[in-house]
Amino acid sequence: MRRHGLGWTKTTLLAALVTCVATPAFAATAERRPFGTLADGTAVEAVTLKGANGVSATIISFGATLQALKAPDRDGKIADVELGYDDLQSYVDRPNFWGASVGRYANRIAGGRFILDGKTIQLAQNDKGNSLHGGTKGFDKQPWRVVSVTSGPTARVTFALTSAAGDQGYPGTLAVTASYALDDAGNLTIDYDATSDAPTIVNLTNHAIFNLAGEGAPQGALQHRLTIPAARYTPVNAQLIPTGVLKPVAGSVFDFTHGACFRMAYATAPTRKSCSAAAMITISCSMPGGPRSPSLPRGWKIRPRVACLRC
């Protein structure tokens, strides 16, 4: 607030007070409510963060999952642009990782094995002999604790989960937090933090899947235009394990450097299956341009795993 100066006139002071009263003090809100109960009696909660511009995000404590993300379009119409279920039982009966916090290790580990400090660690195998997204009971299938819920300039909710040593085969007890924050400008931020009491591996992410046309839109997401500032991608084998080769995206269905429509990529892919895999791999595993990579358009900022979607 302004400080009252000795040289102010009564008129100036009155104007200042009127300005203070007339200017709305926006603050993002956080609302907490029940979302259901698991078979063992564990209560699951939902927290909805909402900003002044109409953007809202609902996160449930089961899997620290982004259950819905609602936003206005250019005409102000609100739509849910993130895939999710409306009820808890569907998340339990038909798990798809939609919006979930994935861990301990996102993506696949070949054979469910890795070597750490000279020792071979065997993990739970839940995907054709591989370990996918943390194993049979990854973080997405576990209830997290609601640590804090706050409103203010930025609304925030923080969840916590403790993964015991040996959980799904991983060494070390891992303490994890997932924080979702939404401000009045509609910026949604997700922060993950993990601490282990022993050497281990960890690779946390959020598995949100978007359809910017909105829930139930007949055109689906194929007309979305996607831009990814990436010059290379990581091919995978038949089991979707990266081969270790980095291939240029130029001239391939994976090339979104100058913007491309999903429908066009889908139509030109050798097979529809490879196209859907192409979109997933390009978004999550594309490599930013480097000294040996083709130059990107002037003015682009290079960030790993950055994608721009427009519809």
Side-chain angles (χ1 to χ4, degrees):
M1 294 181 64
R2 281 177 162 178
R3 290 184 296 179
H4 294 231
L6 294 177
W8 281 16
T9 64
K10 290 183 179 180
T11 304
T12 304
L13 180 58
L14 178 61
L17 290 175
V18 171
T19 301
C20 290
V21 172
T23 302
F26 292 126
T29 61
E31 297 181 356
R32 189 172 177 176
R33 62 180 173 83
F35 193 74
T37 305
L38 296 173
D40 65 358
T42 301
V44 173
E45 296 185 85
V47 177
T48 298
L49 311 177
K50 187 173 183 178
N53 66 346
V55 175
S56 67
T58 297
I59 308 97
I60 61 173
S61 57
F62 185 72
T65 298
L66 181 62
Q67 184 262 341
L69 179 61
K70 297 180 180 180
D73 63 11
R74 60 175 63 91
D75 299 317
K77 182 180 178 181
I78 302 289
D80 188 351
V81 297
E82 195 264 339
L83 274 64
Y85 293 120
D86 292 328
D87 62 281
L88 175 60
Q89 199 58 46
S90 293
Y91 282 99
V92 174
D93 295 340
R94 295 179 287 167
N96 280 298
F97 303 108
W98 291 344
S101 293
V102 174
R104 287 190 188 192
Y105 204 93
N107 216 330
R108 293 168 177 82
I109 297 178
R113 291 186 298 275
F114 65 93
I115 298 175
L116 181 63
D117 292 339
K119 181 181 178 181
T120 299
I121 307 297
Q122 180 63 59
L123 306 174
Q125 297 168 308
N126 63 323
D127 182 72
K128 300 178 181 178
N130 304 310
S131 181
L132 173 64
H133 294 336
T136 306
K137 191 175 182 180
F139 292 174
D140 63 294
K141 299 177 181 66
Q142 300 186 41
W144 294 51
R145 304 183 305 278
V146 179
V147 176
S148 63
V149 179
T150 57
S151 299
T154 298
R156 186 183 307 271
V157 58
T158 298
F159 302 90
L161 178 70
T162 300
S163 176
D167 181 15
Q168 304 301 301
Y170 289 92
T173 297
L174 194 71
V176 185
T177 60
S179 295
Y180 290 78
L182 180 71
D183 63 22
D184 278 330
N187 297 308
L188 178 65
T189 303
I190 308 174
D191 287 323
Y192 292 105
D193 184 87
T195 304
S196 178
D197 63 1
T200 191
I201 62 172
V202 62
N203 181 33
L204 305 172
T205 194
N206 185 278
H207 206 286
I209 298 177
F210 300 95
N211 177 4
L212 301 186
E215 180 183 8
Q219 67 268 36
L222 285 180
Q223 71 177 23
H224 290 2
R225 184 175 179 84
L226 176 66
T227 303
I228 304 177
R232 296 173 292 172
Y233 74 98
T234 56
V236 296
N237 63 21
Q239 291 190 318
L240 301 182
I241 302 295
T243 63
V245 175
L246 300 180
K247 296 188 68 174
V249 300
S252 75
V253 69
F254 300 92
D255 190 356
F256 290 87
T257 54
H258 299 286
C261 180
F262 276 140
R263 187 178 300 278
M264 182 67 69
Y266 190 74
T268 57
T271 66
R272 291 185 177 183
K273 182 177 180 181
S274 68
C275 181
S276 61
M280 176 181 67
I281 294 167
T282 304
I283 293 172
S284 63
C285 301
S286 293
M287 305 297 293
R292 299 181 184 176
S293 303
S295 59
L296 295 175
R298 179 176 296 178
W300 282 27
K301 295 180 180 179
I302 305 302
R303 285 187 190 169
R305 295 193 279 192
V306 170
C308 174
L309 275 170
R310 291 180 293 177
C311 75

